[in-house]
Amino acid sequence: NNVAIGLACAATLASLVAMAVTYRQRKKRAFQFAQVEFVFLLLLGLVLVSVAALLAVLPPTHASCISIVWLLNVGYTLELVPLVVKIAAINRLMHAALRMKRIKLSRNFLLGVVALFMGVVGIYLTVWTVMDPPTKTGSYSLTNEVTEDGSTVVEVTYYCESGSEWWSIVSVGIQTLLLLAASILAFLTRKMRGDVNETNTISFLIYWNFVCILLRVILIMLGGSIDVAILSRSLSIILSIDSMATILIYFIPKFIGKDTQRNTSLNTTRAGLQNTDG
């Protein structure tokens, strides 16, 4: 439990520090080329997921149970949807280049797609909260301890649970489908130059997120066979490691990379793709 709390605190602190450093270096070429708006959406999602990881391992309350659901789903939406939108835009640009065509991708359109997904998730979470909100529930088990009057000691473990498990299954399923689509797009763009549109970094990050979502699916499948406390701690550890790994994969190289001038050909490429994503 202490390990899970420590990792959650470290993930939250790392996300906040990454957000502060990104804001300080927002004019750096690496962040300008990656689109600062998408970078901050990703960072905000990491902060929300990290806070959810911390709440998941603390003693639950009715308020924290609802907060975990909202933080987790909104956080992963902010984290995953921009990645899917970016890799889809890169894939579209690549295929247009192969056909010797020039296209323009509006930044407002790409941000609108993210906003649309956020609206759908918000409606789903509102219905979930109103109809079947997750509440503090107790799991009781007999122990071998006996009191002085001969009574058997009963141990209770509190956790968060809704009346139906399908709410969590649907939310994780949607995230899995998003990452599956992103993984396919990342595979299709694998031959694109690594220094253009940060394709390799985004692809690796998508593959990593897909592994973490599969671990969460496994936890849901094991929900009825292992202790609820172990489930909560395992979920918290997965979320924390996911957030810290995302910072390590995507942000650290940008923080420590030199802000060098691009060569002429790359400048020409960017000039032809103004107002595009990546």
Side-chain angles (χ1 to χ4, degrees):
N1 192 60
N2 292 334
V3 171
I5 293 176
L7 285 174
C9 292
T12 304
L13 180 61
S15 301
L16 293 173
V17 171
M19 183 174 289
V21 176
T22 301
Y23 180 79
R24 185 174 181 180
Q25 298 185 1
R26 65 190 183 278
K27 295 183 179 180
K28 197 173 182 179
R29 289 184 181 273
F31 290 110
Q32 291 294 320
F33 200 57
Q35 300 295 343
V36 177
E37 297 90 343
F38 283 88
V39 173
F40 276 111
L41 286 176
L42 176 59
L43 280 169
L44 180 57
L46 290 177
V47 172
L48 297 181
V49 171
S50 300
V51 174
L54 181 59
L55 292 178
V57 77
L58 294 177
T61 63
H62 293 301
S64 67
C65 288
I66 297 176
S67 299
I68 290 171
V69 168
W70 278 82
L71 290 171
L72 192 57
N73 286 276
V74 173
Y76 265 115
T77 301
L78 290 173
E79 181 181 348
L80 298 182
V81 174
L83 290 179
V84 176
V85 170
K86 283 178 71 91
I87 199 68
I90 292 172
N91 186 266
R92 185 180 176 187
L93 289 172
M94 183 186 70
H95 285 285
L98 292 176
R99 295 192 302 268
M100 302 299 292
K101 293 183 178 180
R102 181 178 179 179
I103 63 172
K104 290 185 178 181
L105 298 175
S106 171
R107 181 181 302 180
N108 292 333
F109 172 77
L110 299 178
L111 292 175
V113 174
V114 178
L116 177 62
F117 272 93
M118 283 296 301
V120 173
V121 171
I123 293 173
Y124 178 77
L125 292 175
T126 301
V127 175
W128 184 355
T129 303
V130 172
M131 295 185 61
D132 188 15
T135 57
K136 178 181 177 181
T137 308
S139 175
Y140 301 89
S141 59
L142 294 175
T143 66
N144 295 325
E145 299 181 21
V146 180
T147 62
E148 295 180 356
D149 59 358
S151 300
T152 302
V153 176
V154 177
E155 187 180 74
V156 58
T157 303
Y158 293 103
Y159 62 100
C160 298
E161 185 181 48
S162 294
S164 174
E165 63 180 6
W166 280 102
W167 297 103
S168 298
I169 294 175
V170 170
S171 65
V172 175
I174 293 174
Q175 295 167 17
T176 304
L177 291 177
L178 282 174
L179 280 173
L180 181 60
S183 299
I184 295 174
L185 291 172
F187 179 78
L188 294 175
T189 57
R190 68 192 185 281
K191 294 182 180 180
M192 194 171 184
R193 284 180 55 185
D195 59 341
V196 179
N197 299 317
E198 55 185 10
T199 309
N200 292 340
T201 303
I202 294 178
S203 299
F204 185 65
L205 184 58
I206 289 172
Y207 296 147
W208 166 256
N209 284 327
F210 191 73
V211 171
C212 291
I213 204 74
L214 287 181
L215 292 176
R216 291 175 57 199
V217 171
I218 293 173
L219 282 181
I220 292 177
M221 295 174 62
L222 296 176
S225 58
I226 61 177
D227 185 72
V228 291
I230 296 178
L231 277 176
S232 299
R233 294 165 188 169
S234 300
L235 175 61
S236 177
I237 291 173
I238 291 173
L239 298 178
S240 300
I241 293 178
D242 187 15
S243 297
M244 289 189 289
T246 299
I247 294 173
L248 181 65
I249 294 170
Y250 189 80
F251 290 95
I252 296 300
K254 287 180 170 54
F255 293 157
I256 64 178
K258 294 183 179 180
D259 195 13
T260 55
Q261 295 288 333
R262 296 186 178 86
N263 56 41
T264 304
S265 62
L266 187 54
N267 282 332
T268 303
T269 302
R270 188 185 180 190
L273 299 177
Q274 287 182 352
N275 297 323
T276 65
D277 176 56

